[in-house]
Amino acid sequence: MVREDGKRNFVMLENGEKTKQFTGRMPRQAALKAARRLEGYDSYESEDEAKDDATEIRLLERGTDRVHVYDAWAWRDTAPNDKPGWMQQNEVSSVTRGNVSKQGIEHIEK
């Protein structure tokens, strides 16, 4: 279901349970947000390392029967030189980056 601002809500399904909610105009945008919040990817220093250990995520689009399935991975990267002021004040030296690869769409039977 699309909101007035054009964004849609997606709920992560873990073991059949609805857990976290992510918002985005497209499913991939929500999946990228979910990928950056995955557990266990803090030790990876490069995308290639993390991609070899991809995690399947399933995002249910609110108001529909569609489940978007992605392989997702994340890794730590150095913070950019033009980082915002709050990052400089807190001396943040690294950021979490994420990427996804769509595997397909499934439909939930009611």
Side-chain angles (χ1 to χ4, degrees):
M1 184 155 282
V2 180
R3 301 184 331 194
E4 286 182 18
D5 60 1
K7 294 185 180 179
R8 304 184 307 200
N9 293 317
F10 300 89
V11 178
M12 185 180 285
L13 297 176
E14 294 179 292
N15 300 323
E17 297 290 320
K18 296 177 183 177
T19 56
K20 305 168 192 139
Q21 180 171 313
F22 299 96
T23 303
R25 290 185 187 273
M26 302 298 285
R28 185 171 192 277
Q29 186 178 21
L32 288 169
K33 290 177 184 180
R36 286 192 304 272
R37 289 164 179 80
L38 287 173
E39 301 281 329
Y41 283 91
D42 292 340
S43 62
Y44 294 114
E45 296 290 326
S46 72
E47 182 177 8
D48 292 333
E49 274 183 72
K51 187 175 183 178
D52 291 338
D53 191 26
T55 301
E56 181 182 271
I57 61 173
R58 305 167 74 73
L59 297 175
L60 171 65
E61 186 173 346
R62 290 271 175 136
T64 70
D65 66 344
R66 291 182 290 223
V67 176
H68 301 268
V69 182
Y70 289 89
D71 280 342
W73 58 94
W75 68 98
R76 301 295 292 171
D77 199 2
T78 56
N81 292 333
D82 62 344
K83 58 188 173 185
W86 65 268
M87 287 180 84
Q88 291 172 356
Q89 290 172 354
N90 296 331
E91 298 180 15
V92 176
S93 62
S94 66
V95 294
T96 302
R97 301 208 187 265
N99 205 350
V100 295
S101 173
K102 189 151 192 176
Q103 301 304 304
I105 297 175
E106 298 174 359
H107 295 274
I108 296 176
E109 294 182 24
K110 295 182 180 183

